[in-house]
């Protein structure tokens, strides 16, 4: 009864529930989305703990801090680039006197499967001087939540839990703790106000206190069971350090590696499952070997630090040395090569041996880039925009028209056949970049943003446009759902966008709500041209429900009717 097959994300969520979680908050972003989805499903079916999506990662983090101040355990979830948005409360929270445990779960995305970069969140944990956990598998993800909450409350700091795509989105059997070993939610008990107000005089004291905790953090890291040192005095040539999924890839090759090592046996190994660095364990490892190979998923965080911690004493190799690739995900084959093992005889090896033949074959195959769904409302919105842009370019020239886009499934409008947009940077940037482009002299500047992204970080940029009376045309593509990450509900319904935009100061006559469909391309293009000519801020809301959202909604309505008839 205590066994379930769970995603890594779901294992974290279940661990949090069993560890006494009171509330979870977040903003959807692959590969972290399933954490809060699991908690929301549990909340809706079982009544607790509370779980809610928020407007963005910053507001989610601040809500979690409020729960912590009340003395209860909370978590906040996001993907790696989401931590950039939450960086302000994240960094400052390290100086607070955390009351109820708070765990920040950040899912990194090596190889950029659905992200703008390969940013490694361990650097943020180091920057904030807080402990960091990095599970190897789903069972560890579940178990680490208990230790993370306990440590947060014992040391009065937030704790970061670092995940990566392969662990977040793979499944394994998880053995949950027995009912008697699970924890109840904390009782209400507010924090000390002197530890929760970062006025300069108090913040300086809190910062000194945080610095004083570092020795205790290191001692904890050196003594916990997640960091495992195995020494082999016979091997003086090589030692191996692993972290995260790097441990799995090493273990997948271990039987063949044992044969290669022969009588000497395996090199000394240290697995780093928590940060800060277990310095005493590293020193013991360094004494056994001249060369240290670091196998880690993500950026060369451990490798860089070891090169500084052990200067001149040991040769540290890994991603920085070129033994492992500097970008992208690791896999067993890459680690196999770094260990000096012969490649396995697989289909991929066959293709590698016949590279020329494979390359010529690939050249004849058509490309399959991601595209908007067939019948997507965004296709019709961009089609109208393209017509308007073509006319405006005839009037003012190529350099006097720009289209800045944003993060969402509508980002696919950048590719063929639409080729509609010119910039994609980060959440909310389309509006700010359109403003800057206009102020730089571009006559017709468009900012294209989705409904959820507008709520996430587009509103503040729109306020800047209004305050400076900058000539921009902002298109809000309202498909009534957060489609890119699995059709979560938007924070506010579609009907609220028009009054919201007017409330932010956009002139009512320049807030236009258009139905977007194939029969209205020309009509909508004409309206976009009109608004582009206006020498102020205009907002055009292009509205039509996402097809996938429509399917989900109609299915839910049908099930509701059937349930009513059954009663």
């Amino acid at each position: 009864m205590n066994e379930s097959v769970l995603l890594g994300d779901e294992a974290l969520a279940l661990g949090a529930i069993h560890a006494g979680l009171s509330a979870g908050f977040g903003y959807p972003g692959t590969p972290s989305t399933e954490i809060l989805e699991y908690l929301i499903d549990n909340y809706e079916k079982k009544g607790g703990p509370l779980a809610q999506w928020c407007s963005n990662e910053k507001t989610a983090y601040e809500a979690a801090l409020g729960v912590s101040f009340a003395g209860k355990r909370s978590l906040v979830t996001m993907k790696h680039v989401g931590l950039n948005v939450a960086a302000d409360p994240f960094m400052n929270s390290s100086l607070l006197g955390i009351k109820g445990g708070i765990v920040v779960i950040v899912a990194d995305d090596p190889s950029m499967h659905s992200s703008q970069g390969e940013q490694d969140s361990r650097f943020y944990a180091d920057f904030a001087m807080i402990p960091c956990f990095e599970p190897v598998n789903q069972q560890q993800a579940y178990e680490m939540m208990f230790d993370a909450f306990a440590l947060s409350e014992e040391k009065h700091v937030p704790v970061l839990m670092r995940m990566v795509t392969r662990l977040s989105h793979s499944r394994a059997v998880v053995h949950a703790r027995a009912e008697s070993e699970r924890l109840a939610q904390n009782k209400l008990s507010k924090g000390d106000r002197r530890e929760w107000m970062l006025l300069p005089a108090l913040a300086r004291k809190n910062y000194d206190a945080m610095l004083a905790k570092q020795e205790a953090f290191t001692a904890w890291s050196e003594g916990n069971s997640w960091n495992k040192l195995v020494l082999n005095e016979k091997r003086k040539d090589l030692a191996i350090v692993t972290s995260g999924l790097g441990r799995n890839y090493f273990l997948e090759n271990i039987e063949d590696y044992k044969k290669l090592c022969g009588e000497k046996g395996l090199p000394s190994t240290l697995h780093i499952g928590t940060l800060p660095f277990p310095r005493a364990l590293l020193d013991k490892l360094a004494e056994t070997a001249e060369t240290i190979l670091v196998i880690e998923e993500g950026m060369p965080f451990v490798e860089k630090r070891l090169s500084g911690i052990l200067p001149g004493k040991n040769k540290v190799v890994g991603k920085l040395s070129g033994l492992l690739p500097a970008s992208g995900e690791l896999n067993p084959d890459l680690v196999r090569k770094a260990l000096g093992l012969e490649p396995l005889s697989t289909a991929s090896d066959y293709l590698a041996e016949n590279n020329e033949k494979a390359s010529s074959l690939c050249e004849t195959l058509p490309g399959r880039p991601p595209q908007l769904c067939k019948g997507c409302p965004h296709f019709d919105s961009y089609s109208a925009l393209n017509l308007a842009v073509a006319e405006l370019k005839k009037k003012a020239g190529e350099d006097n028209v720009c289209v800045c886009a944003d993060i969402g499934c509508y980002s696919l409008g950048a590719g063929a056949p639409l080729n509609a947009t010119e910039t994609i940077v980060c959440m909310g940037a389309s509006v700010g970049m359109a403003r800057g482009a206009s102020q730089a002299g571009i006559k017709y500047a468009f900012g294209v943003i989705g409904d959820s992204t507008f709520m996430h970080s587009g509103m503040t940029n729109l306020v800047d446009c209004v305050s400076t009376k900058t000539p921009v045309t902002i298109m809000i593509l309202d498909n009534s759902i957060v489609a890119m990450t699995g059709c979560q509900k938007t924070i506010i319904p579609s009907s609220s966008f028009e009054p919201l935009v007017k409330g932010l100061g956009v002139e009512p006559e320049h807030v236009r709500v258009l139905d977007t469909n194939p029969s209205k391309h020309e009509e909508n293009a004409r309206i976009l041209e009109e608004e582009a000519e206006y020498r102020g801020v205009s907002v055009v809301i292009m509205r039509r429900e996402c097809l996938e959202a429509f399917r989900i909604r109609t299915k839910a309505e049908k099930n509701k009717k059937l349930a009513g008839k059954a009663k």
Side-chain angles (χ1 to χ4, degrees), residues 255-316:
E255 293 305 318
D256 288 342
Y257 193 45
K258 282 179 182 177
K259 295 174 186 177
L260 179 67
C261 293
E263 293 182 1
K264 295 185 300 181
L266 292 170
S268 297
T269 60
L270 172 62
H271 176 69
I272 300 177
T274 65
L275 298 171
F277 284 95
R279 182 60 189 268
L281 301 182
L282 286 167
D283 288 342
K284 288 180 182 179
L285 185 78
E287 290 171 3
T288 68
E290 299 170 357
T291 301
I292 298 176
L293 167 62
V294 180
I295 306 173
E296 58 186 322
E297 184 74 295
M299 292 181 173
F301 175 77
V302 173
E303 187 181 351
K304 281 184 176 181
R305 289 299 300 270
L306 290 192
S307 299
I309 290 172
L310 310 168
K313 184 177 180 181
N314 304 88
K315 181 181 180 183
V316 181

Side-chain angles (χ1 to χ4, degrees), residues 377-378 380-382 384-385 475-479 512-516 524 528 540-544:
H378 298 331
D380 296 313
S381 296
Y382 278 131
L385 176 61
M475 291 175 61
I476 300 176
L477 306 188
D478 179 11
N479 63 355
R512 312 286 288 269
V513 181
L514 307 180
D515 292 325
T516 179
N524 289 346
L528 286 170
V540 180
I541 301 171
M542 310 291 285
R543 183 173 292 167
R544 196 173 99 225

Side-chain angles (χ1 to χ4, degrees), residues 372-506:
L372 294 169
C373 299
K374 188 175 181 180
C376 174
H378 298 331
F379 188 93
D380 296 313
S381 296
Y382 278 131
S383 296
L385 176 61
N386 279 348
L387 290 174
V389 165
E391 291 302 314
L392 293 170
K393 284 181 178 178
K394 289 178 185 177
K395 294 180 183 178
E398 179 78 29
D399 287 342
N400 260 319
V401 184
C402 75
V403 179
C404 301
D406 223 299
I407 304 297
C409 55
Y410 53 92
S411 300
L412 298 173
L418 290 164
N419 300 311
T421 65
E422 298 168 278
T423 71
I424 300 171
V425 179
C426 63
M427 299 282 277
S430 59
V431 182
M433 290 185 69
R435 174 197 174 199
S438 175
Q439 292 176 329
I442 292 179
K443 186 174 182 180
Y444 303 115
F446 291 89
V448 182
I449 191 167
D451 47 356
S452 180
T453 311
F454 179 72
M455 294 301 301
H456 178 282
S457 48
M459 287 192 296
T460 45
N461 269 321
L462 182 60
V463 171
D464 286 348
C465 294
V466 171
S467 72
T468 54
K469 297 181 174 61
T470 303
V472 291
T473 304
I474 307 304
M475 291 175 61
I476 300 176
L477 306 188
D478 179 11
N479 63 355
S480 78
I481 207 76
V482 190
M484 187 181 189
T485 53
C487 288
Q488 295 80 25
K489 290 182 179 179
T490 48
I491 293 298
I492 62 172
S494 295
S495 58
S496 299
F497 276 95
E498 183 178 2
L500 172 62
V501 170
K502 290 177 179 177
L504 292 176
V506 180

Side-chain angles (χ1 to χ4, degrees), residues 535-554:
R535 297 296 84 194
V537 181
S538 58
V539 174
V540 180
I541 301 171
M542 310 291 285
R543 183 173 292 167
R544 196 173 99 225
E545 188 176 16
C546 166
L547 291 178
E548 188 60 27
F550 173 77
R551 293 188 190 101
I552 292 171
R553 180 174 60 79
T554 51

